[in-house]
Amino acid sequence: MKDRVRTASAALLFLVCVVTLTSAFNLPNRSPDLSPRLASLSRAAKSAQQRTRLTLADRVAYQRVIEEVYWRHRIWPKERPDPKPALDEVMPSAQLEKKVADYLRKSQALENYWQRPITPDQLQAEMRRIASHTKQPGVLREIFAALGNDPFVIAECLARPILAERLLTELYAHDQRFHGELKRRAEAELRTHRSLKDMKQTSGMYTEAEWIKSDSAETGSASADTKNIEAVKMNGSEWQERVEKLAGEFGSAKEGDPLGQIKTGVLSPLQEDEGHYYAVAVMKKG
């Protein structure tokens, strides 16, 4: 027995398309305790805060060191007949310079646009977060060693790029100076397009998906009953989580059966996440 819900959604604002690439590392998943190393780095960082700023050339050189460690542990596909190339062949100096310039620009934007410059305490906290959440502690130790176990360099060249990206994404996503007009336009379009048929007439991207609950099947994509409709298989727990979230988007998340509380053919209020403004409707249940 399979439960199906077909949803139609209109993304009224498509801010960012994010593609995540995961590198494979030839290391065990067991995570030894890095707390002693981080404690010593944090103590040393206090005396390093007054150091002279790194030059752009320094940062590019340290970025190369970091990338060398990652590349050394990158598994080269067995089906590739050619040998694994050197890092310089896949990541030239210009690309390293671009990476450095990018995180410096984001750091400056935090100060210029939001008056939120990254502080030494934030960098130390980010170093601790990286160490406690890493799934590849061996690689992290190698990076620390490659950077001379220097807390100032580690904070500036490893922690700063990650922290700047996360803070900028969070602040930008909810800043009405950038998105206020788009939100007002999205709200106006929903007021004038209140039916399922009208959803296709909005300026947003219209998509349809069929959700399939099937505990006996693996989760992932599946063949849909209708052409151009994405089908997504879910196990019981995933199904429950998604349906409860969907009920919440309609403002009907109450005790009891969330699926039964969701009405078909009705548009949800305007929703917002870090990348979109959107509305959703359930076309069919069965």
Side-chain angles (χ1 to χ4, degrees):
M1 179 67 180
K2 295 181 179 179
D3 295 325
R4 295 171 181 259
V5 171
R6 181 170 296 165
T7 65
S9 62
L12 300 179
L13 171 61
F14 200 86
L15 289 177
V16 182
C17 180
V18 180
V19 179
T20 304
L21 302 177
T22 303
S23 298
F25 294 95
N26 188 22
L27 288 172
N29 289 326
R30 188 168 59 88
S31 299
D33 186 11
L34 291 174
S35 299
R37 173 61 57 84
L38 263 294
S40 64
L41 288 176
S42 295
R43 288 193 297 270
K46 294 180 180 179
S47 61
Q49 291 177 7
Q50 303 302 320
R51 284 181 50 174
T52 305
R53 292 183 179 181
L54 296 173
T55 66
L56 180 62
D58 291 335
R59 290 180 182 275
V60 172
Y62 286 126
Q63 188 67 39
R64 179 182 296 278
V65 166
I66 294 171
E67 300 297 342
E68 284 280 7
V69 175
Y70 286 141
W71 186 244
R72 187 161 58 247
H73 289 281
R74 178 74 177 268
I75 297 175
W76 192 244
K78 294 181 179 179
E79 59 271 17
R80 292 286 297 269
D82 52 324
K84 184 179 180 180
L87 176 65
D88 289 341
E89 296 181 45
V90 297
M91 188 174 293
S93 296
Q95 189 172 343
L96 292 169
E97 292 171 4
K98 185 176 183 297
K99 279 193 169 189
V100 171
D102 183 63
Y103 76 70
L104 289 177
R105 183 170 58 251
K106 289 175 179 177
S107 293
Q108 193 63 46
L110 288 169
E111 182 172 358
N112 292 347
Y113 289 100
W114 290 279
Q115 291 73 53
R116 298 277 294 275
I118 293 176
T119 66
D121 286 344
Q122 285 179 302
L123 290 173
Q124 289 183 47
E126 183 65 16
M127 289 162 61
R128 290 192 293 270
R129 189 197 67 80
I130 292 171
S132 63
H133 288 79
T134 182
K135 294 182 179 180
Q136 302 292 342
V139 173
L140 188 60
R141 285 197 303 271
E142 285 190 43
I143 291 175
F144 284 177
L147 296 176
N149 289 318
D150 186 322
F152 179 78
V153 174
I154 293 170
E156 284 295 323
C157 300
L158 182 64
R160 179 178 289 277
I162 299 171
L163 182 60
E165 174 71 25
R166 187 174 71 252
L167 292 178
L168 188 69
T169 299
E170 292 171 354
L171 290 169
Y172 176 77
H174 303 289
D175 195 319
Q176 292 303 304
R177 292 177 298 174
F178 299 100
H179 312 311
E181 178 58 33
L182 287 167
K183 183 177 182 180
R184 288 188 289 273
R185 179 163 63 86
E187 291 171 333
E189 290 204 30
L190 279 185
R191 286 194 295 269
T192 57
H193 300 84
R194 292 304 304 167
S195 70
L196 287 177
K197 181 177 65 175
D198 288 343
M199 289 180 76
K200 295 183 179 181
Q201 308 305 316
T202 68
S203 62
M205 181 180 66
Y206 177 88
T207 61
E208 293 183 7
E210 187 174 43
W211 295 359
I212 304 172
K213 178 185 176 184
S214 179
D215 289 326
S216 62
E218 294 183 358
T219 59
S221 298
S223 298
D225 294 338
T226 306
K227 188 177 181 181
N228 297 326
I229 296 177
E230 179 189 8
V232 181
K233 286 186 177 180
M234 290 173 271
N235 60 35
S237 60
E238 291 171 329
W239 171 269
Q240 187 68 21
E241 182 179 348
R242 293 285 291 272
V243 170
E244 287 178 356
K245 181 177 183 294
L246 185 62
E249 291 174 339
F250 282 92
S252 56
K254 304 174 183 177
E255 292 186 3
D257 177 21
L259 182 58
Q261 298 167 12
I262 300 172
K263 297 179 180 179
T264 59
V266 178
L267 269 65
S268 73
L270 184 67
Q271 305 295 312
E272 177 183 359
D273 60 23
E274 288 191 354
H276 310 78
Y277 289 113
Y278 66 95
V280 63
V282 175
M283 303 168 66
K284 179 181 177 182
K285 295 191 293 184

